[in-house]
Amino acid sequence: MAEKLLVEKHVEFIQKLDKSQNELEYWMTEHLRVSGIYWGLVALEILNRTDALDKPKVIEYILSCQNPDGGFGGHVGHDSHLLYTMSAVQILAMYDSLDKLDKESVLKYVESLQDPETGYMMGDKWGEKDTRFAFIGLAICSMFGDINRLKVDPIIEYIQLSMNYDGGFGSGPGGESHAAQVYTCVAALAIAKRLDIVDREKLSMWLCERQVEHSGGLNGRPQKLPDVCYSWWALSSLDVLKRLHWIDSKMLAKFVTSCQDADFGGISDRPGNIADVYHTCFGICGLSLTQYSEENLTLSPIDPVYCMPTHVVERMGLSHGPNGWRNYVPESWK
Amino acid sequence: MHGRTRKSKEELEDSEYLDNQKQEIARYRSKLDTVFQQRNEKRFTSDCLKSTSELLNLNPELNTVWNYRREILNETFKGLSKEEKQQKLNDELEYINVSIKKNIKSYWMWNHRQWILANMPSPNWNQEAKLVDLLFKLDATNFHGWDYRRYVMSKIQETEDKKVVINREFLYTKKKIDQNFANHSAWHYRSKLLPVILENEKESTLSKEVEMIIQAIYSDPDDQNAWLYFDWLIGFEVEKTTMYNLGIDIASELLELEPNSKYALLSLLKYNLALNENEPISPETKKNYLEYINRLRNIDSLRLGLYNDMEENVMNL
């Protein structure tokens, strides 16, 4: 018999993250606290327990992580990076508080990270390039309703160059296919209304093969061990491709629930490992995509492109409607 | 947090463990505070650099501290001769060489390495290629390592003949594949090199490549990517029918040895469909296809949705 989702334990686990100063891990992860809060808040949203965090306190903290360059660091006093800027914007979007932000300052920061020569996106001023940043750049600008702040064509070209023989996408041109990079590329293409670039058949076949026998968990590349986080990266992409039914949801649920920490709450990458908020979030998100439910439990639906609850993405007009990505999914996929 | 075993309640409440945590936290926080304070005071001395080394040894994920390190180095470069700058960056590379082996998956560390080389007056790219090769002994499919290797080669190509470099890399991937047929990173890299090589010597290279991937398929018929690579090669052939037939032959032979070979069944179906794409389908053939799909359902229960879709497609033929 499959285990149940330990909702109360996970809520407690997330609430306790801010009060674990006696654990080394609390300090070792300080530099990505903004993302940590994002993962926690998404998980709580999906569990319909948004109120479990102190909203005004979180907003105040997030705003204190914005730097003079307009970007956000992972914690107060840390340097700006697109990764944390994305998390900060997502948190404020979920709290319907984007108006607390000087929109122009953030857009200017994102704009400054488009390489003037190539038009490719960088993670910070030091110049690292990656398909993750292509996605984040487009996602942030679209959340502010201003996608054309970036030159979209070179970003699409970058993603196209990162596409491989197996239909997947890598971290950049030449990079090997990896399920997490696939998510960032598929999501970026969805936002840019360019899903036509995707080789739907090949990619769906490659993605559904990420679910491995026996455990039911998904891996990120062939012959790698399954890991809870791919419940999100691979499934979100399959959802956009309208091929979510190509994996076995029941087996996946069995794997995710077997990775729960029954004592302290939280979900880990694999059974028996230390739980963390990142895997807790993506395990729960994966379950939401597959419409996991129990007798007295329904999960809130999640948007497979923005990785925020569907009601948030709908409210922002990013899902349906004239600017919604769903409007531009190729007709033949529907 | 990947791959770390959970502790029990008892272990976590053990007083020795708790004391230990306290000490480690104090040690870490004092180093962290020192570094951030030095940075806030805009100090860029060699002592500051040393503090960042100690801190990054404890936590290589501190991107801000890597940034600070580069700021310190940029500051110390001022007024240095080329030789002196090279020496400073050699020391920095030495530092990274030690840490990267312990943190082979750290994005920040690979970025930093790239920055060091980009700033060196005379970077030794061949040495970099050797280092990456050594790292593959620890983790043969580490994608940071493979990405870095491609970056290194793009630099080598700036001074060496592009064709020579690509041919050498093509041989390198062969070596890696001979060590392990299932090295997907090596196959992937090949897929990036092959089109360049085919521009010049199409026929012999392509047929050799087909032979090699067939060997890979036979060595592990359950390797999806080997089949995908075979499929991708078909795109280069003028005479696709020959390749479809070849695919059918391989799949049939494998199925005789191993009737439950999933990819063999999938390929049998796929290439039969491709071969007869424009032909009217006989009830007999349709029945065969449906039988393949049923067999797939029995072998691979995780992907029933896929096989249902396939069945529907065949029914609609």
Side-chain angles (χ1 to χ4, degrees):
Chain A
M1 186 150 136
E3 290 172 58
K4 300 227 157 171
L5 192 62
L6 307 169
V7 175
E8 290 311 315
K9 290 270 180 196
H10 298 323
V11 172
E12 256 174 63
F13 172 80
I14 293 164
Q15 284 178 317
K16 249 193 76 184
L17 288 170
D18 192 37
K19 303 173 187 71
S20 308
Q21 287 84 348
N22 59 341
E23 287 166 30
L24 181 62
E25 202 52 36
Y26 174 87
W27 299 101
M28 294 291 275
T29 55
E30 187 185 56
H31 63 281
L32 46 78
R33 187 125 308 149
V34 169
S35 293
I37 295 175
Y38 160 73
W39 295 320
L41 186 58
V42 172
L44 292 171
E45 275 272 6
I46 301 308
L47 297 173
N48 299 304
R49 294 295 296 274
T50 316
D51 293 343
L53 289 185
D54 183 344
K55 177 173 164 180
K57 208 175 129 198
V58 170
I59 293 177
E60 194 193 324
Y61 168 76
I62 294 299
L63 292 174
S64 74
C65 293
Q66 192 179 22
N67 289 312
D69 61 12
F72 286 76
H75 181 54
V76 184
H78 286 241
D79 289 356
S80 298
H81 196 286
L82 266 192
L83 289 171
Y84 310 121
T85 306
M86 174 74 169
S87 295
V89 172
Q90 284 171 306
I91 292 166
L92 295 174
M94 284 190 275
Y95 277 144
D96 198 5
S97 300
L98 277 181
D99 55 345
K100 293 209 165 58
L101 207 57
D102 174 10
K103 163 182 159 177
E104 200 46 37
S105 68
V106 182
L107 283 169
K108 273 204 176 117
Y109 175 70
V110 175
E111 226 181 340
S112 76
L113 295 178
Q114 184 159 37
D115 186 326
E117 241 171 77
T118 57
Y120 300 161
M121 290 303 294
M122 306 181 283
D124 64 11
K125 65 172 184 179
W126 295 94
E128 177 196 6
K129 294 192 182 78
D130 192 300
T131 43
R132 288 176 300 162
F133 311 138
F135 161 60
I136 292 175
L138 292 171
I140 292 178
C141 290
S142 71
M143 282 191 268
F144 285 119
D146 203 357
I147 190 174
N148 289 321
R149 281 302 278 264
L150 295 171
K151 290 180 207 83
V152 177
D153 288 348
I155 298 178
I156 301 303
E157 176 196 274
Y158 185 78
I159 295 173
Q160 227 168 346
L161 288 170
S162 309
M163 198 170 155
N164 296 318
Y165 76 91
D166 47 24
F169 297 86
S171 59
E176 182 181 349
S177 295
H178 183 292
Q181 306 286 357
V182 168
Y183 160 73
T184 63
C185 291
V186 169
L189 291 173
I191 293 170
K193 311 177 170 109
R194 289 305 309 275
L195 282 170
D196 58 287
I197 284 170
V198 174
D199 185 336
R200 184 192 187 207
E201 298 310 316
K202 258 193 187 163
L203 182 56
S204 306
M205 276 303 271
W206 190 82
L207 284 171
C208 79
E209 286 292 326
R210 303 284 53 81
Q211 188 169 36
V212 299
E213 301 259 342
H214 309 302
S215 76
L218 280 79
N219 61 17
R221 287 190 281 163
Q223 268 143 359
K224 298 277 174 181
L225 291 172
D227 177 329
V228 160
C229 66
Y230 297 109
S231 315
W232 170 256
W233 307 123
L235 259 61
S236 55
S237 309
L238 280 169
D239 192 21
V240 175
L241 295 163
K242 299 255 187 293
R243 291 278 167 69
L244 200 53
H245 59 292
W246 282 14
I247 61 112
D248 186 324
S249 308
K250 281 212 174 88
M251 285 296 286
L252 176 73
K254 203 180 123 205
F255 178 71
V256 173
T257 51
S258 76
C259 293
Q260 300 179 107
D261 184 329
D263 292 327
F264 299 102
I267 301 172
S268 51
D269 59 346
R270 280 186 277 285
N273 285 349
I274 301 178
D276 59 72
V277 68
Y278 170 90
H279 289 95
T280 306
C281 171
F282 292 126
I284 291 171
C285 288
L287 293 180
S288 164
L289 283 175
T290 62
Q291 295 174 14
Y292 175 89
S293 67
E294 289 170 19
E295 208 180 319
N296 291 309
L297 174 69
T298 319
L299 298 178
S300 193
I302 186 152
D303 185 84
V305 168
Y306 286 94
C307 198
M308 296 193 291
T310 304
H311 71 87
V312 173
V313 179
E314 289 286 0
R315 162 168 54 72
M316 298 173 77
L318 297 168
S319 179
H320 292 94
N323 289 316
W325 66 267
R326 288 184 194 273
N327 242 348
Y328 299 88
V329 174
E331 212 44 52
S332 61
W333 295 12
K334 289 172 182 166
Chain B
M1 200 180 312
H2 288 99
R4 277 164 56 189
T5 316
R6 206 173 280 168
K7 286 187 163 54
S8 71
K9 233 174 179 162
E10 291 72 38
E11 282 173 292
L12 287 169
E13 282 161 8
D14 177 66
S15 66
E16 203 176 313
Y17 170 79
L18 286 171
D19 277 351
N20 201 315
Q21 285 274 299
K22 234 186 222 165
Q23 282 173 20
E24 280 191 54
I25 291 169
R27 193 163 72 108
Y28 177 70
R29 288 193 64 190
S30 97
K31 289 201 193 303
L32 189 80
D33 291 345
T34 307
V35 167
F36 274 84
Q37 197 187 332
Q38 286 171 337
R39 190 181 193 218
N40 287 335
E41 291 166 2
K42 299 206 178 342
R43 289 174 53 198
F44 303 107
T45 64
S46 57
D47 277 349
C48 301
L49 192 73
K50 204 173 145 231
S51 316
T52 66
S53 304
E54 287 169 8
L55 180 58
L56 290 167
N57 286 344
L58 297 177
N59 188 357
E61 294 303 311
L62 291 162
N63 58 315
T64 303
V65 179
W66 287 109
N67 295 348
Y68 178 35
R69 218 175 149 84
R70 289 188 283 270
E71 287 163 4
I72 297 171
L73 287 165
N74 275 334
E75 205 57 41
T76 50
F77 293 157
K78 287 179 183 164
L80 291 190
S81 70
K82 265 188 181 174
E83 290 72 26
E84 288 166 325
K85 188 179 177 190
Q86 179 73 26
Q87 187 50 51
K88 282 256 181 271
L89 285 163
N90 275 339
D91 294 346
E92 188 64 5
L93 200 56
E94 203 60 36
Y95 170 67
I96 286 284
N97 278 345
V98 177
S99 346
I100 214 163
K101 280 177 201 144
K102 283 182 270 175
N103 305 289
I104 198 166
K105 290 182 176 170
S106 168
Y107 281 91
W108 310 117
M109 208 168 271
W110 286 101
N111 289 340
H112 191 65
R113 190 174 193 98
Q114 208 161 316
W115 179 86
I116 296 170
L117 271 291
N119 282 276
M120 271 188 175
S122 36
N124 184 343
W125 294 111
N126 287 313
Q127 195 178 303
E128 290 301 289
K130 268 187 210 140
L131 173 113
V132 178
D133 188 45
L134 278 178
L135 286 182
F136 288 152
K137 291 196 169 68
L138 302 174
D139 182 359
T141 58
N142 180 278
F143 71 84
H144 298 285
W146 284 96
D147 282 347
Y148 189 66
R149 189 176 178 92
R150 281 182 282 272
Y151 172 70
V152 167
M153 290 308 150
S154 73
K155 289 291 170 188
I156 290 180
Q157 277 177 38
E158 286 173 9
T159 51
E160 249 188 86
D161 183 44
K162 184 181 171 188
K163 251 208 247 154
V164 176
V165 179
I166 291 204
N167 276 314
R168 200 168 55 212
E169 286 300 278
F170 200 58
L171 284 176
Y172 179 78
T173 58
K174 171 89 165 58
K175 193 177 99 187
K176 289 283 144 192
I177 289 165
D178 284 343
Q179 287 164 7
N180 175 14
F181 264 124
N183 187 331
H184 294 121
S185 304
W187 279 108
H188 162 78
Y189 190 15
R190 251 179 122 70
S191 80
K192 299 292 163 188
L193 301 165
L194 185 70
V196 186
I197 292 175
L198 289 181
E199 281 169 17
N200 299 308
E201 33 185 317
K202 190 162 176 180
E203 251 152 60
S204 63
T205 311
L206 190 57
S207 59
K208 264 190 240 157
E209 196 67 5
V210 172
E211 262 171 52
M212 200 169 137
I213 196 64
I214 292 176
Q215 237 182 311
I217 290 173
Y218 274 105
S219 88
D220 182 6
D222 294 330
D223 181 355
Q224 181 198 22
N225 270 59
W227 284 99
L228 282 170
Y229 195 87
F230 175 83
D231 201 60
W232 175 71
L233 287 179
I234 297 179
F236 293 95
E237 298 278 358
V238 186
E239 210 23 82
K240 307 228 183 310
T241 320
T242 323
M243 288 294 279
Y244 295 149
N245 278 316
L246 184 57
I248 291 169
D249 289 347
I250 299 166
S252 311
E253 196 179 328
L254 282 170
L255 283 168
E256 269 171 39
L257 302 166
E258 176 48 76
N260 287 339
S261 174
K262 173 174 140 187
Y263 295 113
L265 272 170
L266 278 169
S267 304
L268 193 60
L269 184 60
K270 179 178 191 168
Y271 296 126
N272 268 304
L273 284 167
L275 205 55
N276 304 310
E277 207 186 347
N278 302 314
E279 310 282 319
I281 183 169
S282 71
E284 191 62 28
T285 314
K286 204 178 224 181
K287 214 180 114 207
N288 280 341
Y289 292 169
L290 293 174
E291 197 254 336
Y292 299 153
I293 294 170
N294 262 332
R295 279 166 72 185
L296 281 162
R297 268 202 195 98
N298 292 330
I299 299 166
D300 183 25
S301 64
L302 285 179
R303 279 159 280 266
L304 296 181
L306 162 67
Y307 303 126
N308 291 342
D309 283 0
M310 280 183 163
E311 184 177 66
E312 203 187 312
N313 288 340
V314 168
M315 296 294 271
N316 290 334
L317 284 176

